[in-house]
Amino acid sequence: MRKMALLATMLILLLAGTTQARDKDTLTSLARYYADDTAIYLSARTDEDFAPVLTDLVDRLRLFFPKDVPPITAEALLNMFAQQTAGGTFEATYGTWVGDSAAFGLTLDVDYMMASMNDMPPFFISVAITDRDAAMAFLDEQVSHDESGELIGYSLIEEGGLTIYLADESEDATYAVGDDVLFITPDVELLPREAVENPLAAQADFNETVALLPNEAYNILAYIDSGAVNRFSQDLSTAVLAAENTTNSGMPGMLQQLSNVQGVQAWGFVVLDGDTLTMDLATNITDTTLYDEAGISLTTLPALDTAFTTHIPSNALMVAQSSDFGPTVQMSLENLRRFSAFLDENGGLMSLIAVPREMMQPEEIVAMESFSLNSLIGMLNTGFAGLTGLNLERDVLPVLNGDVVAYLRVLPVEDFEAPILPDFGLMFQTDNAEGATMLVDALVDASAAYGTDFSVEAYGDAGAALNMPLIGESMGTRHPNLDLLFGADNGVFSFGTRPAVEAALSTEDNITSTAAYQAAQAYFLPNSGVLLYIDIAPLGELIDELIASGEIPLTAEVEQARTAISLLESATGTVTSIDPTSTIARFTLTLAETPVVIGGES
């Protein structure tokens, strides 16, 4: 065979599909060749219509880094690869027979892995083809022949409608060609010679989870049965230990059993609108028995209150927002209590992690047997009450019953040793104005009781803020931007550095009014309960100001860093609960159209 591996060839074919999208039906069509116990399935488009979009992305990168990104097109790269591996252009060698998708499927079989230890796992690759004769001709070109034309390293077999290039011990992979598919596998026994009786394509979990993916088309689609992966890992470990006559071979811990929860995920990768790299994730818990036994309740996260998002200032660099803060934290604590009771009834921490007693010191055994998760919750409540004078579950969580927002920004400062200072804010939505005021009053009382340096300021229309200059004192300096404030007014309880808390009540110059945020909103999932957002343009603008004022010297390194910052328009993450057992998430990275030219126009 020529100096190439067909496995590497197929990997390139898989990667070739990363810029143009195909509908989900196309990307799951090859699942009919894989059994329903396939734990990992990966599919991508393989036609060459992707080249223009990929070229556009490369050209965009060249605008930002002309010295680092060579002026080469996707077509040229593929033709170079095809010339080296198959002796022709991509269209002439692969394009004549490769169809619209390729897939990889892996079955997790402990007996198979134990029998072939240190060898390849049970997998095979399938490639949709449009011309059987052309695919056969391509394979025949790649394998070696002797002077009489006989195959070297392979035997040719016709079986079950397949033409099989059966590898001998000198070759790593066997190939098989059917009417509309090419298979590649390390083990001929894994080939689906006949129609699969119970295919992955007909499995309910597979179809339901893929259907949850929010986009209609993707470049790459993956499906993972995480429960099967966890069980395989444990079963293989047990089998290996048993083979080595290790005494712990049959002792799975409760923590391991809980990781066996029946769950599957579908992943979709796509480039949206030519500039937004997108990853979607759908998660489905298919059996809640273990959760039920452990007393863990599952719930649906409500949608965000987008009106609260308007309290985030427009120059925030990083933002995180989540709904239903108080009730969600309270439910988590209740889950911990029920799980603690379940744990205590089933052997405690020793049972949870299943460490053999003979491997532990006596004092370690005593510590583990006396440990209780419930006691940790008690310590949390006691410590919180001791510091603040408030009961977390009775006084605080019921008040902070709406959304929570955290954000970070960088602000210019004067009369300080550094030209900029970080500014962070944590804002809680509340419909209990009296309760929010009570929280600030209690913190003031606690500060007085502990003799802390503090002051109380007016805040908003009728609120109050506790000022604690802890950061400045720890740094041995004072600056208003370093003050830590707790404030409550107008339905907002806030904590952070002074500028952030002072800005928390304003909605005039907010992040939702920026062009970058408005553009990013097009990719938010509907009814999201979690939002992550990054916009580093404000940092770039601040750097420009500092360069213009001479605070930062314009070196080659600074110029390159500024260009890199201008490459990213925004990054986002949104999460939506479909029901207590089903969740979808989307993460995006949007590239800017043009770089920023320091001292000039973009």
Side-chain angles (χ1 to χ4, degrees), residues 315-347:
N315 56 353
L317 303 178
M318 289 182 273
V319 173
Q321 182 175 356
S322 181
S323 66
D324 225 25
F325 173 77
T328 300
V329 174
Q330 184 62 58
M331 190 190 74
S332 299
L333 293 173
E334 293 299 330
N335 279 338
L336 275 177
R337 286 193 177 94
R338 288 191 290 268
F339 179 66
S340 177
F342 169 77
L343 191 61
D344 292 342
E345 293 170 1
N346 290 274

Side-chain angles (χ1 to χ4, degrees), residues 368-422:
M368 292 184 68
E369 289 182 338
S370 60
F371 175 84
S372 171
L373 284 175
N374 205 37
S375 65
L376 284 183
I377 300 174
M379 291 171 60
L380 171 66
N381 279 320
T382 301
F384 188 86
L387 287 173
T388 65
L390 297 165
N391 183 284
L392 176 64
E393 297 181 69
R394 187 174 60 249
D395 301 328
V396 179
L397 295 180
V399 172
L400 309 182
N401 56 1
D403 285 14
V404 58
V405 166
Y407 72 86
L408 173 70
R409 57 182 178 170
V410 178
L411 300 178
V413 293
E414 298 178 355
D415 303 324
F416 194 68
E417 50 262 38
I420 58 175
L421 278 175

Side-chain angles (χ1 to χ4, degrees), residues 102-177:
F104 166 92
L106 175 65
T107 303
L108 301 175
D109 188 324
V110 172
D111 293 336
Y112 184 96
M113 291 301 295
M114 291 299 294
S116 58
M117 191 61 69
N118 300 320
D119 208 343
M120 300 287 272
F123 77 90
F124 66 89
I125 293 171
S126 58
V127 182
I129 65 174
T130 58
D131 188 328
R132 179 170 183 163
D133 292 337
M136 289 283 297
F138 173 81
L139 280 174
D140 203 60
E141 281 287 317
Q142 307 312 310
V143 298
S144 300
H145 299 77
D146 61 21
E147 294 180 356
S148 64
E150 294 296 320
L151 294 174
I152 298 176
Y154 289 89
S155 301
L156 205 58
I157 300 173
E158 297 288 342
E159 184 179 328
L162 298 175
T163 301
I164 302 173
Y165 285 77
L166 179 62
D168 63 20
E169 294 182 355
S170 66
E171 298 290 346
D172 294 328
T174 287
Y175 310 95
V177 182

